[in-house]
Amino acid sequence: MNLKLLIAILLFCGIKSYASGFKTFVPKEDGYVPVAIKVEKKSINNICKFLGYNSEEFYTYNDFDLKNSKIFIVIFKSFSDKIICVLTEDTVESIEQKDVDNYLVNFNLKDDFDSYDVESTLEDGVKNKSLSKEFLSEVFNNPISDNDSFVAVEIGYELHFKNGVLTSYNPSDGLNKWAKSWKNEMPERYRKYYNEASRYQTNETDILKELNAQAAAFANTPDGVMNEYIKFHTNDNGIVNYKMLLVAHYNQTMDIDEFKLINKGRYELSNEFNDQDNYKRTTYRVNKGLYTFDEKGKLINSYTSN
C-alpha cells in the first residue's frame, strides 16, 4: 500500500496521530522552509506540539483528489486559515507558495472548519484549559488581557478569559451551532426560515429562538430532507416544521409555552375538553399534526391526520 493511500485511510478513520514518513515545512516571509522535528514518535500531534501547539489549536486539511502534488496535508491554526505547517513526503526537497496555493484550491474555511468544529473546539478548549489569550489574540488579531472578554466576530462568539485562559463562551449573534451552520453553509435555507419566523414573531429574540429550534431539529431529523414524515409538517410556503416532526414521530418533548412560541400564528385550536374535576385536555393543530396538552401544559399525545 502506498503512503498516500495509507494516510487517506487513516485520516478518513479519524486518526490524527499518524505522520511517519513526512517532511515538515513551516511558512516564513520568503516562503516555506523545512524543519527538523525532534520527537521520538513523528505523529501529527507531536509535530504540532513540537511547534508549540496543543490539540485544540490546530486542524488538518487534505485533498487527495489532487494529483501529482508535493503536499499531503496542510495544518492550520484553529478558527483560521493561518498555516502552521505543510507536510510532504520525505523525498521533497523544497516547496514554494504556488505549491501550497495549488493544493488549497478547494479549501474553504467555512466548510473545512465549520460551525460544529468551532463550537466543539471552544468546548474542548474550556474543558482542557488549553486555549490561551496569546493564541486567540493572534488568531483573531485582537489584544486580550488576562481577565477579559471580547467578541470574535469571525466566529460569532463572545469569549471570556480568566488568568489568560478561555473559561467560557456564548453566541454573540444569538445563533446556536446548527443555525450558524445554516447561515454559513446553507444561506438560502437560513433566509427562508428567518423570513418565515419574521412573519409571526414580534421581536428578534423570538425570531432567533424559533430559528435555533428549527435548525437543531433539522440536524437531528433522521434522513434529513428525505424523512418519510415531512409531508405531514410542510406548510403552504414549502417550509418544513422539523421541530414538530420530531415531536410527532420521534418522542421529542415540549411544553405548551415552547409550542406556542415556536408555532406562533400558525397553530389553531382543534379540540378542548374540561370536566368538573378540572380534568382538561387541549388539542392544537399545526399543518397535519395534532398535539394534546394537559391542564399543566404538558404534552401527552401527538399524531398526524389528513
Side-chain angles (χ1 to χ4, degrees):
M1 181 182 295
N2 66 43
L3 179 60
K4 196 168 188 177
L5 179 58
L6 175 60
I7 301 302
I9 293 171
L10 289 169
L11 287 173
F12 179 78
C13 294
I15 299 175
K16 200 175 183 180
S17 61
Y18 184 85
S20 179
F22 277 56
K23 184 174 286 184
T24 303
F25 290 83
V26 298
K28 296 293 183 182
E29 290 183 4
D30 55 348
Y32 289 80
V33 297
V35 173
I37 304 298
K38 300 176 182 179
V39 294
E40 183 176 347
K41 180 181 179 182
K42 198 174 181 182
S43 68
I44 291 176
N45 282 332
N46 285 342
I47 288 173
C48 290
K49 185 177 180 180
F50 180 83
L51 295 174
Y53 299 90
N54 64 55
S55 59
E56 276 75 65
E57 294 177 334
F58 74 89
Y59 67 101
T60 62
Y61 172 80
N62 58 282
D63 188 343
F64 291 119
D65 291 330
L66 294 178
K67 306 300 181 183
N68 302 318
S69 176
K70 296 180 178 181
I71 297 168
F72 282 140
I73 299 171
V74 178
I75 302 178
F76 291 97
K77 297 177 185 179
S78 295
F79 313 107
S80 78
D81 57 2
K82 298 179 179 180
I83 295 175
I84 294 175
C85 63
V86 174
L87 304 185
T88 71
E89 284 189 356
D90 274 339
T91 55
V92 175
E93 294 297 328
S94 64
I95 59 171
E96 300 177 7
Q97 185 61 50
K98 66 179 181 180
D99 297 316
V100 178
D101 292 341
N102 289 338
Y103 189 78
L104 297 178
V105 65
N106 296 316
F107 172 78
N108 183 288
L109 177 60
K110 290 183 177 180
D111 293 333
D112 295 299
F113 195 81
D114 62 20
S115 302
Y116 299 95
D117 295 320
V118 167
E119 187 153 317
S120 63
T121 302
L122 291 174
E123 183 179 353
D124 290 342
V126 170
K127 178 182 177 181
N128 298 323
K129 300 179 180 180
S130 55
L131 291 174
S132 68
K133 66 167 188 175
E134 289 81 10
F135 174 77
L136 293 173
S137 292
E138 181 183 359
V139 166
F140 297 118
N141 299 310
N142 190 96
I144 306 169
S145 63
D146 282 351
N147 301 288
D148 197 4
S149 297
F150 88 101
V151 175
V153 295
E154 296 89 341
I155 58 174
Y157 285 90
E158 184 175 11
L159 308 180
H160 307 279
F161 297 83
K162 185 175 181 180
N163 298 326
V165 176
L166 182 71
T167 55
S168 64
Y169 57 91
N170 57 274
S172 60
D173 55 8
L175 299 176
N176 62 22
K177 63 182 178 182
W178 299 282
K180 286 179 188 291
S181 177
W182 275 8
K183 186 175 183 179
N184 293 333
E185 298 144 39
M186 295 175 277
E188 182 62 19
R189 175 174 290 152
Y190 177 88
R191 182 189 64 80
K192 287 181 178 179
Y193 277 82
Y194 185 94
N195 290 343
E196 173 73 6
S198 299
R199 293 176 60 194
Y200 302 99
Q201 305 293 355
T202 56
N203 60 71
E204 184 72 8
T205 298
D206 289 344
I207 290 172
L208 296 182
K209 285 181 180 179
E210 179 177 329
L211 191 58
N212 286 336
Q214 293 295 347
F218 173 77
N220 289 283
T221 296
D223 301 319
V225 296
M226 302 300 294
N227 186 275
E228 61 183 310
Y229 302 117
I230 279 178
K231 61 185 178 182
F232 297 111
H233 305 281
T234 305
N235 68 16
D236 293 338
N237 297 322
I239 299 293
V240 180
N241 193 326
Y242 288 101
K243 178 67 175 181
M244 301 318 299
L245 184 154
L246 293 183
V247 171
H249 305 285
Y250 296 97
N251 299 317
Q252 189 165 110
T253 61
M254 71 182 337
D255 61 24
I256 189 64
D257 292 334
E258 184 182 9
F259 173 86
K260 289 184 175 181
L261 172 65
I262 299 302
N263 300 293
K264 185 176 181 179
R266 287 150 288 182
Y267 65 86
E268 58 184 34
L269 180 65
S270 176
N271 184 52
E272 189 167 34
F273 175 82
N274 294 273
D275 66 13
Q276 64 274 18
D277 298 321
N278 198 34
Y279 178 87
K280 181 179 180 180
R281 295 293 183 268
T282 306
T283 301
Y284 298 96
R285 175 184 289 272
V286 180
N287 297 316
K288 295 179 181 179
L290 293 160
Y291 309 89
T292 300
F293 296 85
D294 65 15
E295 66 277 2
K296 294 181 179 179
K298 180 181 177 181
L299 180 69
I300 57 173
N301 192 25
S302 59
Y303 55 96
T304 54
S305 173
N306 293 320

